[in-house]
Amino acid sequence: MDTLIVIDKGTTNLKAVLFDTKGNEIGVVSEPCEMSKARRPGWCEQDMNVIWDVTVRGLKRLKEEYIKDGYKVLGIGITGHGAGIFPVDKDGKPFRDGIVSLDTRASVIIEEWQENGIAEWFLQKKKAEILACYPYSILTWLKRYEKSSYDKIGTVFFVKDWIKYKLTGKMSTDYTDLGPSLLLDVDKMDYDLEDFDKIGIPEMKACMPPIVPSSEIAGTLLDEVAESAGLETGIPVFSGVHDLMASPLGTGAIGEDQLVTVIGTWGCNFTTTDERKGLFSFPHAIPDRFLTGSLDGNSGSVLERMLNLLCPAECYEGTGRDLYGYAEDLIKSSGDDTLIFHPYLFGGLYNANACGGFYGLRDWHTKADMVKAVYEGVVFGHYANIQTIPGHEKIDTLWLVGGGSKSEILAQTFSDITGLTVNTIDVNDVTARGACLIMLVGTGACKSYEEACIPVKVDKTFVPRQAEHAFYEKKYQIYQLIDKGMADAWDAMRREFIR
């Protein structure tokens, strides 16, 4: 049987997934990644060599557990979180930890660019906001505050491209990572070299890897890697796709009336359009299409962090419930709707200084009320971002994917707050499925991208409850009022407390 392997690198786990050529999942293994280091406030880093070790371990397990005699692997695809940088020296070796997409150290650079007009220059030119986690911002920070590292840079990778380089020995990236990070001139479909000069890092023009489209072969599996993982040598390795592009594609839903919302490390909300629209609209893995929507870092990571703080392991050990099961039992016991939570643990989409917080907390509130407010706050954050999408009024269906989509409480809360029908899907890793579907074209298993967009099976459907939706509309207005009222306080906290 013909099969395809996808490596899906998240910030907390790496998955290796085996698919058939119809997009059906045969097997998946998951390996925990090193927890992101936060050596200083706002910093988020991972050891690049550990990432590679975890990748080989995942591939080896996939081979041992799922790749049977008679299975032929047609190709290996890679998907991973975008933004951040994973630099190597001129010999292709890491010399410092990779900087992950949740890192906000370059907020100081963004503030400066907002004052001197560079941020507005990017906005007008790219039709998108420049963020602290993007390569331009991080590289500028390194040049100013960590010059010894900056001077060692030979090539700047995204995380999937670091893994691809280790698999093949070939350096490359693709359009789906370059677009959202603003490195791409969308009209020319090439690096926008003017930007490097504008922000004072011209040296980095020579450190950008060649561009290979997602569905094309970037190299073949090195002999030593094949031996370590137990795979055949010479397997084609495809260029890969940014996970925010892969997840919507993995559902097979590519119409403007279909919204794909990802509850992951980053919270993403995207539709597929025929032209660029709004501030977050970037080239899709499908040629001549665009992924249009919004995203920020305050989604699944916030949910996990807050639940671990509020519900330590000793609360549910021996109960037969895991963290999320215990938390949702608490939510069912909550009798209060007055508490509001802002989910900005990683800064806000339009204000890097924004902070998380509970508002309206009184002596009668319980832990159950706080957990419920966290769930609502994460969904309110998505809702705010959805409303920035051009043409969001046309959306009638929301496809909820990612780890959080397994929660029926969260899915119903999404439906009640957004007023949309919400579908969850019967797939373990929709992101990996998206990377698989792209490879179907590259391997020749499908003749077109339309043929490759095989619809996913719906697991459950949730419809908005009108009374709850009306209540949440009022609560959301208060959520926004607090957001606006806290802006000056957040800025002051940044100046006084975070160096």
Side-chain angles (χ1 to χ4, degrees):
M1 181 170 67
D2 290 340
T3 64
L4 298 158
I5 292 174
V6 174
I7 299 164
D8 180 3
K9 170 62 177 75
T11 54
T12 56
N13 292 286
L14 180 141
K15 296 178 183 177
V17 191
L18 188 67
F19 291 92
D20 66 17
T21 54
K22 299 296 183 183
N24 298 311
E25 186 181 289
I26 298 171
V28 57
V29 299
S30 180
E31 290 284 340
C33 294
E34 171 195 55
M35 290 299 291
S36 299
K37 301 173 185 174
R39 293 183 291 163
R40 295 185 183 179
W43 289 28
C44 197
E45 302 181 345
Q46 287 186 333
D47 187 313
M48 294 170 64
N49 289 317
V50 172
I51 291 172
W52 173 240
D53 291 342
V54 170
T55 302
V56 174
R57 192 159 63 242
L59 288 173
K60 186 175 182 180
R61 281 188 57 203
L62 191 72
K63 164 62 178 175
E64 293 172 347
E65 297 176 24
Y66 293 106
I67 302 179
K68 302 176 182 179
D69 291 341
Y71 282 17
K72 180 178 177 58
V73 179
L74 299 181
I76 298 174
I78 313 165
T79 183
H81 60 80
I85 65 166
F86 292 77
V88 296
D89 63 20
K90 293 174 176 59
D91 295 321
K93 296 179 180 179
F95 54 87
R96 73 171 326 280
D97 288 342
I99 299 176
V100 183
S101 57
L102 294 173
D103 194 282
T104 60
R105 77 186 68 196
S107 294
V108 62
I109 303 297
I110 297 298
E111 290 171 2
E112 179 182 304
W113 287 349
Q114 288 170 342
E115 293 175 0
N116 65 20
I118 288 179
E120 179 63 22
W121 180 80
F122 270 113
L123 180 61
Q124 296 302 318
K125 182 180 182 183
K126 305 284 187 167
K127 299 180 181 178
E129 298 271 359
I130 181 76
L131 302 180
C133 62
Y134 288 175
Y136 284 141
S137 315
I138 295 170
L139 290 169
T140 302
W141 187 94
L142 287 174
K143 185 173 184 178
R144 185 176 301 178
Y145 299 108
E146 200 178 301
K147 187 65 160 51
S148 60
S149 291
Y150 181 85
D151 290 340
K152 292 177 184 176
I153 295 174
T155 302
V156 177
F157 287 129
F158 295 101
V159 69
K160 80 173 191 329
D161 301 321
W162 159 243
I163 295 172
K164 181 171 50 179
Y165 168 63
K166 292 293 288 183
L167 289 170
T168 65
K170 304 290 186 182
M171 295 182 174
S172 67
T173 188
D174 82 302
Y175 296 117
T176 67
D177 257 324
L178 295 176
S181 290
L182 308 191
L183 291 165
L184 188 68
D185 182 326
V186 176
D187 293 327
K188 297 178 180 178
M189 292 300 281
D190 202 351
Y191 287 106
D192 199 333
L193 299 180
E194 178 190 22
D195 299 347
F196 296 89
D197 296 320
K198 177 73 173 180
I199 61 176
I201 55 169
E203 308 85 3
M204 289 298 106
K205 287 187 283 188
C207 299
M208 298 295 119
I211 305 171
V212 178
S214 300
S215 62
E216 294 185 12
I217 295 170
T220 56
L221 193 65
L222 293 171
D223 291 351
E224 59 266 32
V225 179
E227 183 178 356
S228 297
L231 299 170
E232 294 182 6
T233 61
I235 297 173
V237 177
F238 287 79
S239 191
V241 56
H242 188 329
D243 61 3
L244 72 84
M245 304 287 183
S247 294
L249 183 62
T251 67
I254 55 173
E256 291 194 39
D257 60 341
Q258 306 290 302
L259 178 75
V260 178
T261 290
V262 183
I263 307 294
T265 301
W266 278 73
C268 306
N269 311 280
F270 284 106
T271 62
T272 302
T273 59
D274 293 328
E275 59 184 1
R276 293 192 74 190
K277 296 180 178 181
L279 294 182
F280 285 89
S281 192
F282 307 108
H284 204 291
I286 300 174
D288 302 320
R289 305 293 288 276
F290 293 86
L291 201 65
T292 297
S294 62
L295 72 163
D296 73 11
N298 298 300
S299 186
S301 293
V302 171
L303 204 60
E304 181 179 24
R305 176 63 174 156
M306 291 305 302
L307 292 188
N308 277 309
L309 285 173
L310 292 169
C311 310
E314 55 265 27
C315 293
Y316 54 88
E317 284 179 347
T319 66
R321 305 290 277 165
D322 63 8
L323 172 62
Y324 291 91
Y326 173 75
E328 297 194 359
D329 285 344
L330 284 176
I331 291 174
K332 293 173 185 176
S333 72
S334 172
D336 185 271
D337 291 316
T338 62
L339 198 56
I340 289 176
F341 174 73
H342 272 163
Y344 308 129
L345 301 194
F346 300 100
L349 179 60
Y350 298 111
N351 182 357
N353 295 336
C355 302
F358 289 97
Y359 300 93
L361 188 63
R362 302 295 292 271
D363 68 316
W364 62 76
H365 285 120
T366 66
K367 178 165 67 175
D369 302 329
M370 297 177 77
V371 171
K372 181 180 180 181
V374 168
Y375 270 60
E376 292 175 346
V378 168
V379 180
F380 277 143
H382 274 272
Y383 186 44
N385 291 341
I386 290 168
Q387 292 187 316
T388 69
I389 301 173
H392 67 86
E393 302 88 355
K394 301 176 184 177
I395 297 168
D396 57 31
T397 303
L398 186 153
W399 295 81
L400 192 62
V401 303
S405 65
K406 295 178 175 60
S407 165
E408 292 190 13
I409 288 178
L410 195 63
Q412 186 63 60
T413 303
F414 261 97
S415 184
D416 291 339
I417 287 178
T418 64
L420 300 172
T421 297
V422 172
N423 289 330
T424 59
I425 61 176
D426 188 19
V427 172
N428 285 324
D429 191 337
V430 70
T431 304
R433 187 175 191 267
C436 166
L437 298 185
I438 281 293
M439 281 195 291
L440 292 180
V441 178
T443 60
C446 289
K447 296 179 181 179
S448 68
Y449 292 97
E450 288 72 23
E451 181 185 350
C453 288
I454 303 167
V456 73
K457 181 181 177 182
V458 174
D459 182 28
K460 292 183 175 69
T461 297
F462 301 84
V463 296
R465 298 170 295 184
Q466 293 308 311
E468 284 80 358
H469 178 60
F471 170 77
Y472 278 130
E473 283 286 279
K474 295 177 181 178
K475 191 168 186 177
Y476 176 67
Q477 292 175 11
I478 300 171
Y479 173 98
Q480 288 185 303
L481 283 174
I482 298 169
D483 194 317
K484 294 175 183 177
M486 286 298 296
D488 289 342
W490 288 331
D491 291 344
M493 292 174 69
R494 171 78 188 189
R495 289 193 302 270
E496 296 299 327
F497 302 144
I498 302 178
R499 304 299 182 188

